[in-house]
Amino acid sequence: MLRLATASLVGTAVEFYDFFVYGTAAALVLGPLFFPSFSPLAGTLAAFATFGVGFVARPLGSVVFGHIGDRYGRRPVLFGSLLLTGAATVAVGCVPTYASIGAAAPALLLVLRFVQGIGLGGEWGGAVLLTAEHAPAGRRGLWGSFPQMGPPLGFLLANGMMLVLSANLTDAQFQSWGWRVPFWAAGLLAAAGLVLRSSLTETPQFRELSETGQRAGAPVAEVLRGHWRLVLLTAGALSVGYATFYSVSTWALAYGTDRVGVSSSVMLTCVMVAVAVKGALTPAVALLSDRVGRRPLCLAGSALSVVWMFPLVALLDTGEPVLMFLGFMVALIAFITMFAVIAAYLPELYEPRVRCTGAAVGYNLAGVLGGAVTPIVATALSEGARPPWGVAGWLTGVAVLSLACFVALPETRPEPEPASVREAPGEEAARV
């Protein structure tokens, strides 16, 4: 399990590194380089629009790779998604700016970001099912948290590289070529991830489906026909997680540097330390879900999000590093209280024959509302008087939607077996 979980974690970290490095570049440099004729606000909005295209593509990626995962196995998904995302990310680092090729530059960004989104849309489902379907039922939350630690690791790696480069290069050097280095590095990271995943085996549950002839013939059709309500509920429930994370990691980064006047290095440091705290708490929260259940933690996290969005915006607007960090940290603790457990929760909500498609589509649809729309809406709402209370209102509304959806979802944690029939240590893992 440790080898499998580590492979899931590393591969997910690499994929999310690819995705996050674009978001950071969009907040810091892509506007003036690829949309120079726009005003600063319009350029940032345009850069965030290309960022949002990746989220729009993710549900399509979950449909494509979900079909592969439910028909041909979880393992092929892990290779195809990583290869596609890595190649697109390296290509972004090679795109000439608007000054060199005109309107073709932002058009190429748009296409490559779409390809990135398709790859990432397949990654999450494959990585999560690899651990969830191998794990013993009583520890599914804990082992499932390993791929959930991939996003914060990817974020820290992406932003760490951006921070080092921006701190050691002049503004002219960073604008000219420095911002491209993290994109080029994605090729080496993707190659390392592919090597690590080469020894993985197929999950026991998919092998059973294959041996008994119970694989879904058309997974997407089955999900739309029999699980559409569950897909919408899971998408609505998870939307606040995306909205919280990307308001902190992308919109707040742009707002803090452009409107509050905080240096980009200070903003990146505040966000990165808060993300590191979130990542460190992930396995502890996931282990708690194996004891108290998935749904109570999701309800607690979404409820905390409802009450924290206005304080988050107020603390950000102070420009004080310690206060901004406090706002980010509490918001991300609320986030991880939900997202640490969903790697176990979502697979348990869907039957095995359509699990790769259903769980991935629900997860990635949430990204459209929470991840694609939020930075754009927040940037537009933050223009004008400070603090930007409109942003806090938007985030609170998304949090209320998520809380209502979690209320409508059932608990899925497997009931612990009575002591008289409990298997000896190791037997359950071997049987599963």
Side-chain angles (χ1 to χ4, degrees):
M1 277 307 309
L2 183 60
R3 180 177 58 83
L4 289 166
T6 301
S8 265
L9 185 155
V10 172
T12 307
V14 171
E15 292 245 25
F16 275 89
Y17 165 88
D18 295 349
F19 206 71
F20 288 141
V21 75
Y22 190 101
T24 305
L28 296 178
V29 298
L30 294 189
L33 291 178
F34 289 87
F35 305 95
S37 61
F38 290 20
S39 68
L41 173 63
T44 301
L45 283 170
F48 278 150
T50 62
F51 175 71
V53 165
F55 288 96
V56 175
R58 282 172 66 168
L60 176 59
S62 64
V63 169
V64 173
F65 283 102
H67 178 86
I68 295 172
D70 286 325
R71 284 289 301 156
Y72 306 106
R74 323 308 193 196
R75 192 170 178 269
V77 173
L78 298 173
F79 288 92
S81 61
L82 183 57
L83 185 61
L84 186 64
T85 307
T89 305
V90 172
V92 169
C94 300
V95 174
T97 62
Y98 188 94
S100 299
I101 59 173
L108 284 172
L109 276 187
L110 200 69
V111 171
L112 292 171
R113 182 61 175 173
F114 190 84
V115 175
Q116 263 193 333
I118 291 178
L120 192 61
E123 163 65 24
W124 187 85
V128 163
L129 293 191
L130 178 74
T131 53
E133 292 188 344
H134 273 100
R139 286 291 180 266
R140 190 173 293 137
L142 174 62
W143 290 114
S145 71
F146 274 66
Q148 292 302 89
M149 288 187 282
L153 286 177
F155 179 87
L156 292 172
L157 184 58
N159 285 272
M161 290 190 69
M162 283 289 191
L163 180 61
V164 170
L165 289 166
S166 63
N168 289 280
L169 299 176
T170 65
D171 287 343
Q173 289 173 326
F174 187 73
Q175 294 267 341
S176 174
W177 57 267
W179 67 272
R180 299 180 182 274
V181 174
F183 290 91
W184 296 335
L188 296 176
L189 295 174
L194 289 170
V195 170
L196 187 60
R197 287 182 166 183
S198 62
S199 62
L200 298 180
T201 59
E202 190 52 78
T203 70
Q205 292 188 15
F206 183 80
R207 289 202 303 267
E208 182 180 349
L209 289 173
S210 298
E211 292 166 0
T212 57
Q214 295 181 11
R215 288 178 298 169
V220 177
E222 286 195 31
V223 168
L224 293 176
R225 184 171 57 250
H227 303 277
W228 63 269
R229 181 176 178 273
L230 181 58
V231 169
L232 293 180
L233 282 175
T234 52
L238 300 179
S239 60
V240 69
Y242 280 97
T244 299
F245 190 86
Y246 288 101
S247 63
V248 168
S249 64
T250 55
W251 169 74
L253 190 60
Y255 179 82
T257 54
D258 295 342
R259 296 290 309 281
V260 185
V262 183
S263 70
S264 60
S265 60
V266 170
M267 289 301 304
L268 280 170
T269 300
C270 290
V271 174
M272 287 173 62
V273 175
V275 171
V277 172
K278 176 193 77 113
L281 290 175
T282 299
V285 176
L287 181 61
L288 183 62
S289 79
D290 284 327
R291 298 180 179 273
V292 304
R294 327 297 187 202
R295 186 170 176 267
L297 292 176
C298 291
L299 290 172
S302 54
L304 178 57
S305 298
V306 170
V307 302
W308 189 248
M309 295 309 179
F310 277 89
L312 168 64
V313 169
L315 292 170
L316 169 64
D317 199 63
T318 66
E320 294 292 332
V322 174
L323 295 179
M324 291 190 299
F325 166 72
L326 175 63
F328 297 156
M329 184 182 67
V330 175
L332 293 181
I333 287 174
F335 162 85
I336 206 58
T337 305
M338 297 172 281
F339 271 54
V341 307
I342 61 169
Y345 196 15
L346 262 65
E348 289 170 348
L349 285 168
Y350 292 88
E351 59 181 302
R353 58 186 281 118
V354 295
R355 182 173 285 162
C356 196
T357 301
V361 169
Y363 180 86
N364 287 297
L365 276 178
V368 177
L369 174 61
V373 176
T374 291
I376 299 171
V377 171
T379 300
L381 291 175
S382 60
E383 179 69 8
R386 293 171 47 190
W389 297 125
V391 178
W394 165 263
L395 294 174
T396 301
V398 177
V400 170
L401 168 66
S402 292
L403 179 60
C405 291
F406 276 125
V407 168
L409 288 171
E411 178 57 76
T412 62
R413 179 178 68 98
E415 290 295 328
E417 293 182 344
S420 59
V421 297
R422 192 172 297 154
E423 294 172 290
E427 287 184 4
E428 182 186 13
R431 175 176 56 80
V432 174

